Amino acid sequence: MNTTQTEWNLARRQIVGNAASIGFAVAMYGVSFGALGTTTGLSIPQTMALSLLMFTGASQFTLVSTLASGGTALTAVIASWLMGTRNAAYSMRMTPILKTSGPGRLVAVQLTIDESTAMGLAQDEEAFEGRASRLAFWATGLSVYLLWNLATFIGAVSVSAIGDPKSFGLDAAIAAGLFALVWPQIKSRTDLSVAFGGALIALALTPVVPPGVPVLAAAIVAIIVGWVTGRKLS
Amino acid sequence: MWFAVLAGAAGCYALKYVGSIIPAHILEQPIVKRIVLLLPISLLSALVAVQTFATSQTLTLDARVPALAAATVALKFKTPFILVVLIAAVTAAALRYFGLAA
């Protein structure tokens, strides 16, 4: 019996299970999104188009709530782009790990969001020749894509959401889920200070700048620390 | 409305795409490599902080804070991922159900 094969089967089952549970937690918010979209005045096809084509929850909620609060279409579009900017950093990090090309690359790009990136990076990059990282990214991306779109549809046609996701503690569950995925990525004192620095900058800016900007501003910490520590290496 | 939906979606896809076409030799440079390695750590940590302590543009202390504390303890004891998430959800839901936290 090949032990690596047995270990891989075990790891694979665990990764797929975790990916599915992330998909279900996120889907509850998909129902809210669908309901919000149609109550804001978007049609069902427009609401679905956002989940199918934009597929990055924070940008979708931002676009719809900017429209709902009386913002112009252009303001709503720019706000959604601002929210989506962090995905560019994610695909920079994930592309060399995924080793995709052609149509596969185009699909991977669309699936590059907070959850899939965090799951991909939470695995040991060297484990099973990188297969663990790749499976974690793909399984999470696909599970979230399918369930998020299904949930958006349910929310959009039933209009009234099934209840406030907060009463099930789902807001805390999503935060804790991402936290559990950042946890294994923090391997050194430098990583830890980057994590704390990013969190502090985001919280300090929260009251003074529009939503989305605080998280993006945390990139500054990675850039400064990366530049200083990278220069020592070169 | 279709303008907002399609322009928003196109821009968000373009942002995801831009990150994937940066040539390998640029990403291999030590400074760039360090920055790209640290970026998801700072962005995801910031996201967790905002998801725990912020409601729109207000900083708040509600049921999410003890829920994350419970999750942290669970992580210290190397609890499996799904359980960590469940512990956080149950903590927040219970505190809200009994009216102990918002």
Side-chain angles (χ1 to χ4, degrees), chain B residues 40-71:
Chain B
I41 297 178
S42 66
L43 292 173
L44 290 168
S45 304
L47 189 63
V48 171
V50 167
Q51 283 180 344
T52 308
F53 296 102
T55 305
S56 187
Q57 278 183 260
T58 326
L59 295 180
T60 43
L61 287 177
D62 60 24
R64 290 171 296 173
V65 180
L68 259 284

Side-chain angles (χ1 to χ4, degrees), chain A residues 137-226:
Chain A
F137 172 89
W138 282 105
T140 311
L142 288 171
S143 120
V144 173
Y145 192 82
L146 288 176
L147 292 166
W148 177 255
N149 276 290
L150 187 68
T152 303
F153 182 71
I154 293 170
V157 294
S158 64
V159 178
S160 64
I162 42 160
D164 186 358
K166 280 172 71 178
S167 62
F168 303 105
L170 277 162
D171 51 346
I174 288 179
L178 278 178
F179 186 48
L181 296 175
V182 182
W183 189 273
Q185 294 180 47
I186 297 172
K187 291 177 191 127
S188 66
R189 209 164 274 241
T190 315
D191 296 343
L192 188 67
S193 36
V194 167
F196 265 108
L200 285 177
I201 284 198
L203 291 179
L205 288 177
T206 293
V208 283
V209 294
V213 182
V215 172
L216 199 57
I220 271 290
V221 180
I223 292 168
I224 292 173
V225 176

Side-chain angles (χ1 to χ4, degrees), chain B residues 78-102:
Chain B
K78 300 194 185 302
T79 313
F81 176 80
I82 296 170
L83 268 178
V84 173
V85 173
L86 270 177
I87 288 168
V90 169
T91 308
L95 287 171
R96 283 173 182 147
Y97 181 79
F98 294 110
L100 296 171

